[in-house]
Amino acid sequence: MAVKIRLKRMGKIRAPFYRVVVMDSRTKRDGRAIEEIGKYHPTEEPSLIEIDMERANYWIGQGAQPTEAVAALLKVINEGKLKTKEQGPSKKDRYEAALAAAGKSADAKDTASPARKKPAKKAEAAPKSTDVEAAEDAAEAKVTAEAEAERTETSEKSES
């Protein structure tokens, strides 16, 4: 049986995270795994990589082949180039600093823009309909005036 160490995709459509698993190479990507040996969250800042190196080395010793992606993760872990979360300020601290720079406090709500637009009042809609009706009345008056002009012309011709 050909055994691979590969990533098993989890999460939502645009928010993936992966489990590093040992599985038969013929199984589906998200199928049943022999053993789960770690996890990888690429969307976090910095990326989270946790792999049980003891189990990974055991399976490699048994003949399991890591995929290219897993091999790259193992290389990052072995070189010790992992960033830790303590290196930068937390997301909340960055948010509060940005608010302070903008001149607002974190507790104050943004009242400048309403949550949704209010529907138009009926009184405002009424003038629009009267404008349309007035235009229709003017058009009808023009048509009737033209019709009367034709009638008078034809009646004058018939009398002469």
Side-chain angles (χ1 to χ4, degrees), residues 56-74:
N57 290 332
Y58 167 79
W59 281 106
I60 290 172
Q62 295 296 316
Q65 294 295 315
T67 60
E68 290 181 18
V70 174
L73 293 176
L74 293 173

Side-chain angles (χ1 to χ4, degrees), residues 77-135:
I77 290 174
N78 286 333
E79 291 176 1
K81 292 185 177 180
L82 285 177
K83 295 179 184 176
T84 59
K85 290 192 176 220
E86 291 78 41
Q87 287 182 345
S90 70
K91 193 172 188 179
K92 185 177 180 182
D93 293 338
R94 288 183 292 177
Y95 174 74
E96 289 173 353
L99 281 179
K104 297 180 181 178
S105 67
D107 298 331
K109 290 188 177 180
D110 186 17
T111 57
S113 61
R116 61 181 183 165
K117 293 183 178 180
K118 295 180 181 177
K121 295 180 181 177
K122 291 182 180 179
E124 292 175 4
K128 291 179 183 177
S129 63
T130 56
D131 292 342
V132 171
E133 289 174 5

